[in-house]
Amino acid sequence: MDSEDSDKVQIGENKFVSKSILLSHLNTYNLYYKGGALQLRHREEEGEMIIEGLLNVFWGVRRPIRLQMEDEKEAGRPRPSLTSLTDQSKVFSEEKEEAGKYILEFLNSHVFTVYASYRNDCVCLVGFVTAHLAGEEQQDSTLSDRIARAKSDVGGRRISGRRLGIRRVRRNRCSFNGHFYNHKTAVFTPAFGSVTNVRVNSCMTTAQVMRVLLNKFKIENSPDEFSLYIVHTSGERHRLKPKDHPLALRVLRGPCEQVSKMFLMETDQVEEVTYDVAQYIKFELPVLQSFIAKLQEEEEREMQKLKKRYADMQRIIKKYMRSLADSTTR
């Protein structure tokens, strides 16, 4: 009994498949994706066969999903203190003083020697520049005194970055297919049919695979709102149970996504479609209407046959009852 169990691989709740069959499908799967990132690896641990690799999942949600705005709280940037502002004002004052000296030296060495006829005008210009610089230095010293007094009044408290005109830069994080989102776009609906992938193994259940997928994109919605579906090109749609193993089922159904795909959809928005129903949903509306008309005609014929049958039985029973009544009266 143990040897039989060791030769099987669980693919769902009370569902098993032999290792040889799964390995054969795995070889076909890897041959299809030869040299690609979707090739799968397999190994054995304590007699159990484990397949691992990337699983393609297609987005099929219709309603917006909520995304986490930030992965973690950013450390606040150091805010400038009043002391740093005072030091900056001193630096600006020194730079202005050096610039004024340079202008005076330039005027004395060039303007006065070359344009002697305009000496008086130049002297006036030098006086104006000197007076202007002296006024700015006085304003700077006054500003420094005010800042020092304000520093003593507030007792060294820090001024908020908003009052100083400093804005924090919010980091944008890349999401679905290069979509960037932040606090303004924290609600997002992936394009229907767009594909993503997650790294899983054949031991992971449907619930575990969905949690990995939602955590990959920091989706705040509850995993209970979604389900994994296998959708065929014929229109057949089958929902995976919570205890199913999606990667093993994907291998067994084959690698070609033109035949079937695995979708993430809302549980309350999607219904399963059986194979019998899927045979008809691909037809055009006039063809479906003709099918319905044929079914109604067939239903009417069967109803008439059934009514005639019961009418005949009723007539026979009544005839027999009359014969019994006549025999008793005699």
Side-chain angles (χ1 to χ4, degrees):
M1 185 68 179
D2 295 338
S3 61
E4 293 180 359
D5 293 340
S6 61
D7 190 48
K8 294 182 179 180
V9 179
Q10 186 174 9
I11 60 174
E13 188 174 8
N14 299 325
K15 293 189 295 184
F16 298 87
V17 66
S18 65
K19 286 184 181 180
S20 58
I21 295 177
L22 185 59
L23 189 59
S24 175
H25 283 81
L26 179 61
N27 292 333
T28 304
Y29 192 96
N30 286 335
L31 185 62
Y32 184 86
Y33 289 112
K34 184 177 181 180
L38 294 178
Q39 276 193 312
L40 303 176
R41 301 189 305 271
H42 74 280
R43 54 188 171 85
E44 288 198 12
E45 289 186 1
E46 300 179 356
E48 183 180 4
M49 181 179 176
I50 300 176
I51 303 173
E52 56 186 3
L54 293 176
L55 174 65
N56 273 354
V57 179
F58 292 81
W59 294 100
V61 294
R62 298 293 186 180
R63 294 177 301 204
I65 56 179
R66 300 185 305 275
L67 307 178
Q68 183 177 332
M69 290 187 294
E70 295 179 356
D71 290 336
E72 57 186 6
K73 293 183 179 179
E74 299 180 1
R77 294 184 177 181
R79 300 175 180 177
S81 61
L82 293 173
T83 305
S84 62
L85 291 177
T86 306
D87 296 338
Q88 290 180 1
S89 64
K90 291 181 179 179
V91 172
F92 294 154
S93 178
E94 293 176 357
E95 291 179 352
K96 291 178 181 179
E97 184 178 356
E98 293 293 335
K101 292 180 180 179
Y102 176 78
I103 293 174
L104 290 175
E105 292 177 358
F106 178 82
L107 292 175
N108 289 327
S109 60
H110 293 80
V111 178
F112 291 161
T113 57
V114 178
Y115 302 100
S117 60
Y118 299 98
R119 184 177 182 84
N120 294 331
D121 296 336
C122 291
V123 170
C124 294
L125 176 61
V126 172
F128 173 77
V129 172
T130 305
H132 182 69
L133 291 176
E136 288 190 353
E137 290 179 358
Q138 184 177 2
Q139 291 179 0
D140 292 338
S141 61
T142 304
L143 177 61
S144 301
D145 295 339
R146 291 180 180 176
I147 292 176
R149 287 196 301 270
K151 180 179 178 181
S152 61
D153 293 338
V154 299
R157 290 184 299 175
R158 292 184 177 181
I159 301 176
S160 64
R162 183 175 298 179
R163 292 180 60 187
L164 294 176
I166 300 174
R167 297 181 179 178
R168 294 184 180 179
V169 179
R170 291 183 178 270
R171 294 180 180 177
N172 292 337
R173 185 158 46 82
C174 184
S175 176
F176 308 93
N177 301 326
H179 168 74
F180 289 91
Y181 64 91
N182 53 22
H183 66 289
K184 293 183 179 179
T185 58
V187 178
F188 180 65
T189 304
F192 188 89
S194 58
V195 63
T196 185
N197 54 66
V198 287
R199 185 168 296 278
V200 296
N201 60 56
S202 58
C203 296
M204 297 176 66
T205 62
T206 303
Q208 292 172 337
V209 171
M210 284 197 301
R211 280 197 295 269
V212 171
L213 178 60
L214 298 183
N215 289 335
K216 176 181 179 180
F217 295 104
K218 304 300 179 184
I219 297 176
E220 294 184 350
N221 297 64
S222 172
D224 298 334
E225 299 179 18
F226 307 99
S227 296
L228 289 179
Y229 290 81
I230 294 181
V231 181
H232 295 260
T233 53
S234 62
E236 182 182 358
R237 190 163 50 231
H238 172 65
R239 186 175 71 181
L240 300 186
K241 297 179 180 179
K243 296 296 184 180
D244 286 342
H245 298 250
L247 185 59
L249 294 175
R250 174 76 266 183
V251 172
L252 291 174
R253 291 183 178 272
C256 184
E257 293 177 344
Q258 301 296 328
V259 178
S260 63
K261 297 179 180 179
M262 189 167 293
F263 274 83
L264 179 74
M265 298 179 172
E266 293 99 336
T267 306
D268 59 346
Q269 295 290 319
V270 182
E271 295 181 356
E272 293 187 85
V273 178
T274 61
Y275 175 76
D276 295 333
V277 177
Q279 292 179 337
Y280 297 99
I281 61 177
K282 291 294 183 180
F283 291 102
E284 298 293 336
L285 183 60
V287 179
L288 293 176
Q289 290 176 344
S290 64
F291 285 159
I292 293 176
K294 292 290 184 182
L295 291 174
Q296 289 177 346
E297 292 176 2
E298 185 177 355
E299 181 184 7
E300 186 66 25
R301 286 196 299 268
E302 293 296 328
M303 289 176 59
Q304 294 299 329
K305 290 180 181 179
L306 189 61
K307 288 180 179 180
K308 184 176 182 301
R309 177 184 175 185
Y310 280 100
D312 293 341
M313 292 179 63
Q314 184 179 10
R315 187 178 64 255
I316 293 172
I317 292 173
K318 287 182 177 181
K319 182 179 180 181
Y320 182 72
M321 291 174 63
R322 284 195 300 268
S323 63
L324 288 177
D326 293 340
S327 62
T328 54
T329 55
R330 292 177 183 177

